[in-house]
Amino acid sequence: MTKDTTACGSCMAAYEAAQKLKRTNYGSNNSACHPSFWKPNFFLYEGKKETELIGDKQQNVVNKVVRDFLPLIKESKENPAVALANLMYEKIKQEILKIIPDDFPAPIGLIGGVHINTDKQERIEDFFVVKDVLLRRGPNKKFDDLTKEYYASLPN
């Protein structure tokens, strides 16, 4: 797949590596906000601690998340690179929403999406696909999804 895509290098590297590794001793919590996520022995891969696979903690997080997505990517009818991008986007969105305090006093707007890398030889510029336009109008309120309104407001 890496020969067919210009998707995020760290995600693609994690995807390629994840397909080659077998996980044992699976833990129960998948959230990067949960302390057990960061324990070095939390996952074992072919007898190696997760931190022994690669020395970069940020890449270890990407590797772990991508490994958890492998079954979903395999089941998806989408191109694996597209499925991976969509799943990573949703995971990142979940983590961002977790860190916003419920009692934050001001309105909060979030625009989320996926940056699309294109083939420079074709002279097509990279672009950003908006997946979510969210607005929370004050403390202890839910986010309103304004994505449809955003797309409706764009010129044809």
Side-chain angles (χ1 to χ4, degrees):
M1 183 165 72
T2 55
K3 294 179 179 91
D4 300 327
T5 182
T6 58
C8 174
S10 64
C11 290
M12 296 311 299
Y15 178 75
E16 295 294 328
Q19 293 182 85
K20 298 174 187 167
L21 293 171
K22 293 189 174 131
R23 176 169 52 195
T24 58
N25 195 24
Y26 182 72
S28 62
N29 196 301
N30 288 345
S31 172
C33 294
H34 192 275
S36 63
F37 185 88
W38 300 101
K39 291 182 181 173
N41 294 323
F42 190 59
F43 292 98
L44 298 176
Y45 296 87
E46 296 179 354
K48 291 185 178 180
K49 296 177 195 171
E50 189 162 31
T51 53
E52 292 172 342
L53 294 176
I54 190 167
D56 182 313
K57 193 166 200 165
Q58 187 175 14
Q59 184 63 42
N60 279 339
V61 172
V62 172
N63 288 353
K64 180 195 174 310
V65 171
V66 170
R67 283 191 298 268
D68 290 344
F69 288 151
L70 274 181
L72 297 172
I73 294 169
K74 288 177 182 175
E75 292 170 9
S76 175
K77 293 183 183 257
E78 295 176 302
N79 175 303
V82 173
L84 176 58
N86 287 328
L87 290 164
M88 286 298 290
Y89 170 77
E90 289 300 324
K91 180 65 174 176
I92 292 166
K93 181 174 93 172
Q94 288 172 8
E95 295 300 322
I96 289 171
L97 291 174
K98 283 180 190 177
I99 63 172
I100 299 172
D102 289 337
D103 60 351
F104 190 77
I108 298 174
L110 299 173
I111 299 175
V114 177
H115 180 245
I116 306 296
N117 298 313
T118 58
D119 186 350
K120 295 292 183 193
Q121 293 175 348
E122 298 290 325
R123 299 188 188 271
I124 300 170
E125 294 295 320
D126 291 355
F127 60 97
F128 185 78
V129 176
V130 174
K131 294 188 61 80
D132 288 300
V133 178
L134 306 173
L135 177 65
R136 191 175 78 189
R137 300 178 198 285
N140 302 313
K141 300 203 180 204
K142 290 187 173 190
F143 276 94
D144 295 322
D145 187 347
L146 304 176
T147 310
K148 287 181 183 175
E149 289 87 342
Y150 165 76
Y151 276 108
S153 72
L154 296 176
N156 289 330

